[in-house]
Amino acid sequence: MIETAKPSLFHWQLPRRAFSHSPGRLKVRERRRGHYEDAYAREQARQRKAANMARQAELKGQRAAAIGDPIRGVTTPFIKSFDTDLPSQASASIEDVSHTTTSSSASEPPPSPADAMDEAHLNYYLTKPELANSLDYSRSLSEPIAAGNRELADPAKESEAAKMHDAGHKIATEAISRIVSLANASNRERTRANIQRIIDTFGRHNTDNHLRPKAPSLQSSYSTVAEQKATPRAGPDTGSSEVQIGILTAKIRILADRYEGANRNDKANKRNLRLLLHRRQKLLKYMYKKERGSERWTNMIEKLGLTEAAWKGEIAVE
């Protein structure tokens, strides 16, 4: 009788590797894929991918252009007038006027920006009526005194003195106009005048006369709560959202101009610019919620040139 060997209870088995992690099988798979796909099909796939990436970059640029610049927005005539506080509807500009100090004759003053257009505000907290009254008073004080005895008076000398007085007064008026002009003022004085212009332009003590507020909602129209009478304003409106947004826009424009160029490493200026941008963003979100579609909102957006990027999304200062 033939005895058969019993199977061993202990046997050695090598660990098996996963099929997907096998480097040998991956090479075989790549060879098979390259065998079935020719070079023409691979080139077509590469071109489709490149066209898709180019189209995505183009759409991204179009979306960025549509939403606008969150810092500067769109340049409007009202924003341009911040530089010299000149009226936004004026046709001439300072560059069109000669700034040379020479003149054709000694009796004629040299040309200046004040000869081309009238300024809305003056420096040193002066107003146009005050300046005009002061010039008239100085003219009356400097007039030549006529001779008491008309028989001994010389008409030729009086006429020559009157002409010299008129020429001197004209030169003095031009000098005073240059001194009080905001075109020659410092940045601080120009900012103060721009803030006053913003208060006069967007303040509700002026805009309530020609801009209608937002229509009441259905919930407020059907409410049974008695409407409270509005408290009369005491002085100009300086606290409304549109006025604060305009003031912040003027300050942001100054900081943005300083941050460009050689001042890119100014960390303190960058932080201040970011704080002002976020503060304006909060006010814009609040006013967008309360006054969206009203004439106040439209007037502010059109004059300040603000876009959706100023209150939507994240604002990053790079």
Side-chain angles (χ1 to χ4, degrees):
M1 186 175 181
I2 302 174
E3 295 181 357
T4 57
K6 295 181 180 181
S8 176
L9 297 177
F10 302 97
H11 60 278
W12 297 95
Q13 186 176 3
L14 296 175
R16 296 181 179 180
R17 291 180 298 179
F19 177 78
S20 59
H21 294 80
S22 176
R25 301 299 299 176
L26 286 176
K27 293 181 179 180
V28 173
R29 191 181 306 171
E30 292 177 358
R31 287 197 300 268
R32 290 179 179 177
R33 185 173 57 186
H35 175 73
Y36 289 110
E37 295 180 3
D38 55 352
Y40 180 74
R42 288 197 299 270
E43 183 63 21
Q44 280 188 331
R46 189 190 64 79
Q47 292 181 1
R48 285 194 300 268
K49 182 178 180 180
N52 188 17
M53 297 298 292
R55 180 57 179 171
Q56 288 182 8
E58 181 181 358
L59 291 177
K60 185 177 180 181
Q62 292 178 1
R63 296 190 193 100
I67 198 173
D69 186 6
I71 299 177
R72 294 184 177 274
V74 181
T75 303
T76 60
F78 184 75
I79 294 296
K80 286 183 179 179
S81 65
F82 282 174
D83 295 335
T84 56
D85 193 53
L86 296 173
S88 57
Q89 65 272 14
S91 58
S93 61
I94 291 182
E95 288 77 6
D96 300 333
V97 183
S98 175
H99 290 268
T100 58
T101 57
T102 59
S103 59
S104 57
S105 62
S107 61
E108 296 182 1
S112 69
D115 297 334
M117 61 192 75
D118 295 327
E119 296 187 2
H121 294 83
L122 301 176
N123 201 359
Y124 306 110
Y125 299 93
L126 291 176
T127 60
K128 289 183 179 180
E130 293 176 351
L131 180 61
N133 294 335
S134 299
L135 291 175
D136 292 340
Y137 183 67
S138 64
R139 181 186 181 91
S140 63
L141 291 178
S142 59
E143 284 182 352
I145 301 175
N149 190 358
R150 301 306 303 169
E151 295 180 355
L152 301 177
D154 188 356
K157 290 183 178 180
E158 290 182 351
S159 176
E160 185 67 22
K163 290 182 180 180
M164 292 180 62
H165 175 261
D166 292 339
H169 178 73
K170 190 174 182 181
I171 295 175
T173 302
E174 178 64 22
I176 295 297
S177 300
R178 286 174 176 268
I179 291 173
V180 301
S181 174
L182 285 171
N184 303 323
S186 63
N187 195 13
R188 182 177 181 181
E189 294 294 335
R190 195 177 298 124
T191 302
R192 178 197 57 78
N194 289 332
I195 291 176
Q196 185 62 40
R197 292 178 59 229
I198 290 170
I199 294 174
D200 296 339
T201 303
F202 299 106
R204 296 189 182 182
H205 63 285
N206 292 330
T207 58
D208 286 344
N209 300 327
H210 60 277
L211 295 180
R212 292 178 297 179
K214 184 179 180 181
S217 60
L218 295 176
Q219 183 178 0
S220 60
S221 60
Y222 287 107
S223 61
T224 58
V225 181
E227 296 183 358
Q228 298 180 358
K229 294 183 179 180
T231 304
R233 298 186 183 277
D237 175 25
T238 59
S240 60
S241 299
E242 51 266 38
V243 173
Q244 293 297 317
I245 290 171
I247 294 174
L248 289 174
T249 301
K251 294 181 179 180
I252 286 171
R253 190 168 181 270
I254 295 174
L255 292 180
D257 293 339
R258 293 178 182 175
Y259 185 64
E260 292 180 351
N263 298 324
R264 298 290 293 181
N265 295 327
D266 191 352
K267 305 300 181 183
N269 191 11
K270 181 178 180 180
R271 180 180 180 275
N272 295 333
L273 178 60
R274 189 186 300 112
L275 290 176
L276 293 182
L277 286 171
H278 292 165
R279 191 182 305 170
R280 186 182 67 174
Q281 185 184 31
K282 291 180 181 179
L283 290 173
L284 283 170
K285 286 182 179 179
Y286 171 78
M287 194 171 179
Y288 180 78
K289 180 180 179 181
K290 297 294 183 181
E291 296 286 344
R292 179 181 55 182
S294 65
E295 294 184 1
R296 292 174 182 170
W297 172 264
T298 306
N299 178 59
M300 181 193 66
I301 293 299
E302 289 179 353
K303 288 189 175 181
L304 295 180
L306 300 177
T307 58
E308 294 183 355
W311 69 85
K312 288 186 178 180
E314 181 181 0
I315 300 177
V317 180
E318 298 179 355

